[in-house]
Amino acid sequence: MPTPQSVAFYTLGCKLNFSETSAIGRQFEEKGFQKLPFEAGADLYVINTCSVTDHADRKCRKVVQQALKHNPDAFVAIVGCYAQLKPQEISQIPGVSAVLGAAEKFQLVDILADFKKPEVGQPGQVHASPISEATEFHAAHSFGDRTRTFLKVQDGCDYSCSFCTIPLARGGSRSGSVTSVVERVEKLAETGVKEIVLTGVNLGDFGLQGPERERREDFTRLVKALDEVSGIRRFRISSCEPNLLTDEILDTVAASERFMPHFHIPLQSGSDKILGLMRRRYRRALYASRVARIKELMPHACIGVDVIVGFPGETDADFLDTYNFLNELPISYLHVFPYSERPDTLAPTLPGRVQDRVRHERTTQLRSLSEKKKRYFYEQHLGLETAVLFEDDVTDGRMEGFTPNYIRVAVKYDPLLVGEMKTLRLSGVNVLGLMEAEEVGILA
């Protein structure tokens, strides 16, 4: 095909996907492509898909349709988790030119010349190797404004949770080296980035490297090494399994001036019975001990929790176990997901399917609990003087920033504050659930 001159991207799913889209985008720019907004009618559209969110097929089709509205002659390439899981199915979507799997997506810019746009009514080309061939770690980071960057340090997962397709979509756990991550962080620091969020599929499993995925290092070593990098003001750990969040990691974060007292720890269920059916590698007692240890070391720490409701076999009593367990824990917010069947996983074969209506009701109850937890957490900090790092997000004349422990603060827009830290006194929670603040001073 004639080499296109412009490219546009659309990303579905997690922050890891966004970091990878950004990395692929930089590959295209280095080859001389002009990166355009989605609506600008690019020659090439790259759609990075997700398998975790509901209705992956419908969302993929809709984005393809929108891309072709902007340029009916565009070449449309599909990458990401859904592309690995259902490549042939995606290739049949009208307008899709090519589908690339997990082992191929980072080669898109190099193999583009070999692609041909299919004739009308013909399927797109498929370049998707078996997931066992996705053994190489590809570094990636997001880069928009210069305030916060999501840095991919790990990929894939060796766990076998009964509801999850990620090991099938991304392959086994693998990572770069501590040295390579530190070098990337030092380069990011030179660009003016203030905060880096460490991301991965199973972040706490960092350290499996090389073609044989040997255990050469661990996440604790990475955290300690990054804590010595002076050019970055803030680090955050995006998410870490409770069984991998060790005392050594918590002690390091508690003593650090750069790692923020903010943890996101997947729970999925507060019922030991359901955790067993999910094939999770811990039980609620371990989870509670991790939360207690965090609060002992860092009383102001923010703790977020992932929860799935309506899993097969979850009775009213099981859900009540989860609700009460979460209600009693000193956590700060919840990410609640109604269980959704995924092909090629064990969970849909389990007895005790929960009705969609019940899943929705339980989701609503836990999201309501999340709002109460979040407001209580915010109110515990009223009167505190703390540093707020502001982002380039402006809505209705207001801009937002975050405290070290992830309290979202809203103030009147001031262009001089974008990407800057300012010491503010937290003064009240507004009707939108955002923290209001009063001026104290500027941090160097």
Side-chain angles (χ1 to χ4, degrees):
M1 62 172 284
T3 303
Q5 302 300 311
S6 60
V7 61
F9 295 86
Y10 193 91
T11 305
L12 296 162
C14 63
K15 298 301 183 185
L16 188 58
N17 269 11
F18 279 90
S19 70
E20 291 182 340
T21 297
S22 189
I24 294 171
R26 287 188 294 275
Q27 291 179 350
F28 275 92
E29 290 178 302
E30 290 167 1
K31 292 286 187 178
F33 283 73
Q34 181 184 11
K35 190 176 176 182
L36 296 178
F38 188 85
E39 66 276 9
D43 300 321
L44 168 67
Y45 280 89
V46 181
I47 302 171
N48 195 352
T49 61
C50 175
S51 66
V52 176
T53 53
D54 288 336
H55 311 299
D57 177 72
R58 179 179 60 80
K59 291 179 179 179
C60 183
R61 287 177 181 272
K62 185 171 183 179
V63 178
V64 171
Q65 291 169 359
Q66 292 301 311
L68 295 175
K69 282 185 179 179
H70 297 304
N71 181 4
D73 298 320
F75 189 95
V76 179
I78 312 296
V79 300
C81 292
Y82 184 46
Q84 177 66 38
L85 292 173
K86 299 291 182 181
Q88 299 298 335
E89 181 178 302
I90 295 172
S91 72
Q92 301 291 331
I93 296 175
V96 168
S97 305
V99 184
L100 285 82
E104 291 81 16
K105 62 186 172 185
F106 285 99
Q107 303 171 26
L108 173 59
V109 69
D110 293 322
I111 61 179
L112 189 63
D114 295 329
F115 287 155
K116 293 182 180 180
K117 188 174 171 62
E119 299 291 333
V120 176
Q122 295 300 308
Q125 298 179 66
V126 173
H127 298 258
S129 304
I131 195 58
S132 59
E133 295 187 20
T135 58
E136 185 177 352
F137 176 76
H138 294 274
H141 66 270
S142 64
F143 199 77
D145 61 18
R146 297 195 304 167
T147 302
R148 179 190 295 181
T149 286
F150 292 89
L151 177 65
K152 172 187 169 185
V153 301
Q154 186 273 340
D155 199 355
C157 187
D158 292 337
Y159 287 9
S160 56
C161 298
S162 62
F163 55 84
C164 185
T165 59
I166 288 179
L168 302 175
R170 285 188 168 272
S173 180
R174 57 201 186 275
S175 22
S177 66
V178 168
T179 298
S180 66
V181 174
V182 168
E183 289 174 351
R184 285 159 57 202
V185 167
E186 290 173 341
K187 290 180 181 179
L188 285 171
E190 294 173 358
T191 69
V193 168
K194 299 289 198 308
E195 178 175 307
I196 289 179
V197 183
L198 305 180
T199 65
V201 174
N202 190 350
L203 192 58
D205 199 35
F206 175 92
L208 294 169
Q209 298 163 17
E212 303 303 320
R213 299 194 303 118
E214 298 173 302
R215 172 68 66 187
R216 298 177 182 175
E217 296 171 309
D218 61 26
F219 189 54
T220 304
R221 183 173 173 182
L222 177 65
V223 170
K224 290 183 173 181
L226 292 177
D227 196 39
E228 299 297 320
V229 180
S230 59
I232 300 295
R233 298 290 293 272
R234 292 180 172 182
F235 289 99
R236 293 188 192 273
I237 299 171
S238 63
S239 180
C240 189
E241 295 285 303
N243 53 301
L244 297 175
L245 192 60
T246 64
D247 282 344
E248 195 172 7
I249 293 172
L250 297 180
D251 291 342
T252 302
V253 173
S256 173
E257 294 184 359
R258 297 187 179 91
F259 272 85
M260 298 296 98
H262 173 210
F263 300 88
H264 194 89
I265 315 172
L267 170 65
Q268 311 308 5
S269 177
S271 161
D272 280 346
K273 183 192 89 175
I274 299 301
L275 288 173
L277 292 173
M278 288 179 167
R279 292 187 170 179
R280 302 293 285 169
R281 299 196 178 193
Y282 55 87
R283 294 299 180 261
R284 53 187 275 166
L286 183 144
Y287 194 95
S289 73
R290 295 296 79 200
V291 172
R293 180 63 175 163
I294 291 169
K295 286 297 186 177
E296 177 187 349
L297 294 170
M298 296 161 276
H300 294 308
C302 176
I303 302 175
V305 184
D306 285 340
V307 191
I308 295 173
V309 297
F311 190 82
E314 184 186 66
T315 64
D316 289 342
D318 296 327
F319 173 71
L320 189 59
D321 272 351
T322 295
Y323 188 97
N324 290 335
F325 181 64
L326 290 167
N327 190 40
E328 294 166 4
L329 284 178
I331 56 175
S332 311
Y333 63 89
L334 305 171
H335 285 170
V336 187
F337 305 92
Y339 168 72
S340 180
E341 288 79 3
R342 294 288 180 264
D344 303 318
T345 62
L346 175 65
T349 70
L350 298 175
R353 183 186 185 278
V354 178
Q355 295 181 355
D356 292 343
R357 173 186 57 80
V358 177
R359 298 184 204 185
H360 176 74
E361 290 171 354
R362 292 174 182 174
T363 300
T364 300
Q365 290 181 59
L366 282 188
R367 286 178 178 168
S368 177
L369 177 62
S370 178
E371 289 301 313
K372 294 175 183 177
K373 287 282 188 180
K374 180 179 175 183
R375 178 170 285 273
Y376 178 75
F377 177 68
Y378 278 24
E379 289 174 347
Q380 294 295 104
H381 294 80
L382 293 178
L384 178 71
E385 292 183 10
T386 187
V388 179
L389 176 58
F390 285 97
E391 302 186 344
D392 192 12
D393 254 341
V394 183
T395 304
D396 298 328
R398 307 279 284 177
M399 65 188 303
E400 298 177 1
F402 288 92
T403 67
N405 60 343
Y406 209 61
I407 293 174
R408 187 188 296 265
V409 178
V411 300
K412 183 179 178 182
Y413 172 65
D414 181 346
L416 294 179
L417 284 181
V418 174
E420 298 296 330
M421 284 191 187
K422 188 166 187 175
T423 301
L424 299 174
R425 181 180 294 108
L426 306 182
S427 58
V429 184
N430 66 24
V431 294
L432 299 176
L434 303 176
M435 182 68 81
E436 302 282 353
E438 302 169 348
E439 184 170 338
V440 176
I442 297 285
L443 284 185

